Amino acid sequence: MITEIASKYDSSGVEDKWYEYWMKQGFFHSVPDQREPYCIVIPPPNVTGVLHMGHMLNNTIQDILVRRARMMGKNACWVPGTDHASIATEAKVVAKLKEEGIDKANLSREQFLGHAWEWKTKHGGIILDQLKKLGASCDWERTCFTMDEALYESVIDVFIDLYNKGLIYRGIRMVNWDPKALTAVSDEEVNHKEVNSKLYFVRYRVEGTPDEWVTIATTRPETILGDTAICVHPEDERYQHLLGKRILVPLISRSIPIIYDEYVDREFGTGALKVTPAHDINDYNLGLKYKLEVIDTFNPNGTMSEAARLFVGEDRFVVRKKITEELKNNGHIVKIEDYTNKVGYSERTDEVIEPRISVQWFMKMKELAKPALDLVEDDTILFHPSKYKNMYRHWMANVTDWCISRQLWWGQRIPAFYLPDGTFVVARSREEALAIANLNCKDQDSKFKLTDLKQDEDVLDTWFSSWLWPISVFDGIRKPDNPDIQYYYPTNDLITAPEIIFFWVARMIMAGWEYRKAIPFKNVYFTGIVRDKQGRKMSKSLGNSPEPLDLIRLNGADAVRVGMLLCSPAGNDLLYDDALIEQGRNFCNKLWNAMRLVKGWPVDDSMAQPDVNKVSVEWFDAAFNASLQNINALYDDYRLSEALMAAYKLVWDDFCSWFLEMIKPAYQHPIDRPTLEAAIGFFEKLIKVLHPFMPFITEEIWQILEERKTGESIMISSQPLPKDYDQGLIDKFGYAEEVIMAIRNARKEKNIPQKEAIRLFIRKNNNEAPDITYDSLVGKLATSVSLAMSKKKWMAAFHL
RNA sequence: GGGAGCAUAGCUCAGCCGGUUCAGAGCAUCUGCCUUACAAGCAGAGGGUCACAGGUUCGAAUCCUGUUGCUCCCA
């Protein structure tokens, strides 16, 4: 019998076979019913994304929770889907068109969107198919995309609603401008990096004097042409004599005032600050305070504008070099020092962000943030690990308005329609906008026509659709009373990365409260970042990221899942190492061979259960239940990797190393029926406990272990429930273990071969009757030991 | 510049309210075994002044203060 089953577990073939089976049986699909729901919405990956190690970890965790909930009798629903990722996807489509010799600028909006949808259809959702290889038990019939009609309309409805509530407004603000993507980005999309740069000390001549100068220090000499003031500290004695004077901007000799404000740090540089309201947020605020002129010297693409007067059309970084030369030649450079400072880079394009004045749409955050903060503070929503509460609190307390417009085409177009007079109407459609525009117009001739209306060209920030995700996937915005949203919302757990706690998590909580008066999820589990062995982030340029699908093909999804999870407690980074996957693979093999062993035993129905087997079964039953209670407690704490480790040790140590050895019949001897049945019963419970972690091999073993009917599956079976157990049995067995290990050790120290029998003398303890529960086991497991009671002192094990 | 967190075996971590699982786990290492389930295995073993310095206490890895080093978030 054993010879029929390979001694090494081979995942190939097994995994696809069972995934297809599960799909065919519809096990992943969920519809509302009488059971308690358990729901997770997937953090939607970018529509053009491909599976990377971070997804593997994140989705493995989701699958574990969903599969376990399903086996706990809940109606489990895991909603998959993808995000249109407006800026990232648009960048990819633009690049692809460029390769084909097509310039976006020469396309109409409709033509471009045609290309974008084509791209989406072709490449979109690849990642979802890849998730199937991982074993993800998503309800694929519910797959959503953030630009699906229902979700698109939900976004528009919410925009209109918030606009009508006065929470969305249009305003002139300084925004983070990405000169490469040619769009505004939110504060959260800017990464600050430390860079080595120069600090230029530039002297400006005081107007009306032949040789009186003010020296300022700047890291950005190219912005000098946009200066509209010089600012010094009001108490700085060095500059008191300049009161009321004016200064000339170098090279162009534009006359600008000198202003006095406490904002200036007297210690920094020379204590004099050049003020460029168009190109620095702090300068902008100073400009507002002193009503300074704003001279925008940059074009949207980061080249110098006409307003700069010099270097027009040249890139700002080229100009930095050129203007430095020019300033030098004209005697304006006092000195140049090395300097390190933080520079903002676009998260998407890695381009240096320029602060830029522009008209954008904003959302007021203060009002929405308040309840969202409270819900986390009072543990209505639980963060795992809880340390992220601090981070959350800090951000929510200092939240600023959210710039939600993006100068892109791929996304939900802002539903604002401009009238010829410059005013605008916010409405669901052009027709509706027209009706509103004409509402107060009695005179038939002066009424607006459809063609008078011009829709806003911009689209909404991607996160303005993802923040509705837990609601919109159930169409809960458009149809707030539909059975799905009523049943599945609030969802249970959200599994995500801490880096999007503000982008996404915080805003979902706000949207949930605003539109459902209910939290979007009860628990948030923050995963760590997958890094390489040296702790570096996985990246394409480093080439340190393994290809997930290759890992699965080579080792099996179960091995990959186990390997990744074993070393990733919530919130801790995971240092990826091939050895982890190997450990997972070895564990699969261990399970496989345990199955081979148990299935290989011939059974003798006439045989009575030997005492040694009876006590073994009783002990393991106790050990199993003790461990199961522990595992369940770890799940409750969201300590999934520890739960897996506990199950791992239960199987490997308790079940395989101890229990199976205890009941193992001598070679070619049969086992008694009650013991075999107990063993198979235990085995079945164990693989059920393991199923959420390793879905494929547990299904394979479960199907081999006993005859199953079509339509049966471990994934829809029930998790074993912990029973009361006798701790005394476990303790007593602990002593037996110690004795056995001591004997094995003695045998080894004295070089006594396994086959050679030894006799162990045990000193009787006073008058108490000795406990002989495990004596027979000691004889069996320490191999070739016979026990004898002695009143003499215990001497040592010795040869017979 | 503001805030948060971390420092325990070679590596990754667990040790929450200070004292009966208090120095632990997995991996790695070393030694001996191809013992009829598994060498992707079995049986053993070694390994830590719990970052440093003070303090509180009968008692500190655990609480307090300071120092050093690292990480993350925000500006």
Side-chain angles (χ1 to χ4, degrees), chain A residues 676-794:
Chain A
L676 180 67
E677 280 178 2
I680 288 177
F682 289 145
F683 205 163
E684 196 166 322
K685 284 184 179 178
L686 290 170
I687 55 176
K688 283 179 177 179
V689 171
L690 287 174
H691 178 76
F693 298 103
M694 337 170 60
F696 295 111
I697 189 173
T698 49
E699 179 78 276
E700 177 77 1
I701 291 176
W702 190 82
Q703 298 279 353
I704 294 173
L705 218 46
E706 304 245 39
E707 281 294 315
R708 312 287 180 186
K709 296 192 205 70
T710 306
E712 286 186 321
S713 164
I714 191 172
M715 76 162 278
I716 53 161
S717 70
S718 301
Q719 278 291 334
L721 296 172
K723 295 181 303 191
D724 290 337
Y725 60 92
D726 182 355
Q727 182 63 39
L729 275 180
I730 295 173
D731 294 341
K732 252 189 271 177
F733 184 76
Y735 296 129
E737 264 180 42
E738 272 176 45
V739 171
I740 290 163
M741 285 162 78
I743 295 168
R744 283 170 176 168
N745 202 8
R747 198 187 265 283
K748 181 164 174 158
E749 273 173 16
K750 303 220 179 302
N751 246 325
I752 307 167
Q754 297 287 340
K755 288 162 194 154
E756 209 163 314
I758 56 176
R759 173 173 286 183
L760 178 68
F761 290 95
I762 296 164
R763 191 184 170 204
K764 274 179 85 172
N765 189 10
N766 300 330
N767 297 323
E768 280 176 43
D771 187 328
I772 56 164
T773 316
Y774 292 111
D775 283 12
S776 49
L777 273 179
V778 172
K780 185 168 181 179
L781 295 183
T783 59
S784 314
V785 169
S786 55
L787 300 170
M789 291 296 171
S790 166
K791 283 183 184 168
K792 290 182 197 155
K793 278 190 179 174
W794 188 62

Side-chain angles (χ1 to χ4, degrees), chain A residues 607-616 671-672 674-675:
Chain A
M607 208 172 142
Q609 186 176 38
D611 190 53
V612 61
N613 285 4
K614 187 166 172 291
V615 296
S616 299
I671 191 166
D672 61 284
T675 303

Side-chain angles (χ1 to χ4, degrees), chain A residues 159 169-171 359-361 405 413-427 430 433-434 437 448-458:
Chain A
F159 182 96
Y169 63 93
R170 193 162 177 264
V359 179
Q360 304 285 346
W361 290 88
S405 45
R413 190 169 178 181
I414 292 175
F417 298 86
Y418 298 89
L419 300 168
D421 63 5
T423 61
F424 63 86
V425 173
V426 169
R430 188 172 291 270
L434 185 69
F448 296 111
K449 297 188 288 290
L450 267 182
T451 48
D452 291 333
L453 296 173
K454 200 165 159 287
Q455 187 173 358
D456 197 302
E457 291 292 330
D458 294 351

Side-chain angles (χ1 to χ4, degrees), chain A residues 100-112:
Chain A
E100 296 167 4
I102 304 171
D103 186 354
K104 184 193 164 192
N106 297 331
L107 295 176
S108 71
R109 185 182 191 111
E110 284 63 36
Q111 284 173 321
F112 179 81

Side-chain angles (χ1 to χ4, degrees), chain A residues 387-400:
Chain A
K387 65 177 175 182
Y388 289 109
K389 271 174 82 170
N390 291 329
M391 218 168 104
Y392 182 81
R393 181 187 313 119
H394 191 255
W395 190 76
M396 293 299 264
N398 299 293
V399 68
T400 53

Side-chain angles (χ1 to χ4, degrees), chain A residues 419-582:
Chain A
L419 300 168
D421 63 5
T423 61
F424 63 86
V425 173
V426 169
R428 195 162 277 100
S429 67
R430 188 172 291 270
E431 289 72 19
E432 207 178 296
L434 185 69
I436 295 172
N438 287 331
L439 207 58
N440 295 321
C441 186
K442 302 253 160 57
D443 179 10
Q444 201 56 235
D445 292 339
S446 60
K447 278 196 173 180
F448 296 111
K449 297 188 288 290
L450 267 182
T451 48
D452 291 333
L453 296 173
K454 200 165 159 287
Q455 187 173 358
D456 197 302
E457 291 292 330
D458 294 351
V459 299
L460 289 159
D461 179 13
T462 287
W463 300 102
F464 195 84
S465 64
S466 12
W467 79 319
L468 304 176
W469 186 247
I471 306 173
S472 59
V473 294
F474 297 116
D475 210 357
I477 297 287
R478 298 192 308 171
K479 300 170 189 157
D481 299 319
N482 83 70
D484 277 359
I485 190 81
Q486 297 279 3
Y487 183 71
Y488 293 113
Y489 192 97
T491 70
N492 296 73
D493 301 328
L494 176 78
I495 319 302
T496 190
E499 58 226 56
I500 54 174
I501 189 168
F502 309 129
F503 279 117
W504 197 43
V505 179
R507 289 169 184 163
M508 279 192 287
I509 298 173
M510 295 179 199
W513 200 252
E514 182 69 16
Y515 287 100
R516 300 294 308 173
K517 276 288 165 280
I519 55 175
F521 28 71
K522 176 68 194 158
N523 295 283
V524 184
Y525 181 108
F526 290 104
T527 63
I529 297 167
V530 182
R531 297 171 180 278
D532 69 6
K533 233 193 285 190
Q534 287 125 54
R536 300 174 304 181
K537 272 192 183 179
M538 299 256 168
S539 77
K540 267 187 197 156
S541 53
L542 281 173
N544 58 352
S545 178
E547 178 53 55
L549 293 179
D550 289 346
L551 289 179
I552 290 177
R553 194 165 349 98
L554 255 46
N555 305 284
D558 293 324
V560 176
R561 291 166 63 120
V562 166
M564 297 208 70
L565 201 69
L566 272 177
C567 255
S568 52
N572 274 31
D573 288 353
L574 161 83
L575 301 189
Y576 174 80
D577 188 336
D578 287 326
L580 295 172
I581 308 289
E582 215 169 291

Side-chain angles (χ1 to χ4, degrees), chain A residues 44-50 81-86 88-89 92 116-117 119-128 144-146 410:
Chain A
N46 288 357
V47 67
T48 56
V50 287
T82 45
D83 192 300
H84 66 284
S86 95
T89 306
K92 280 196 177 174
W117 276 106
W119 166 278
K120 187 263 169 187
T121 313
K122 195 169 165 191
H123 303 281
I126 287 178
I127 192 167
L128 297 182
C144 286
F145 175 49
T146 49
W410 179 243

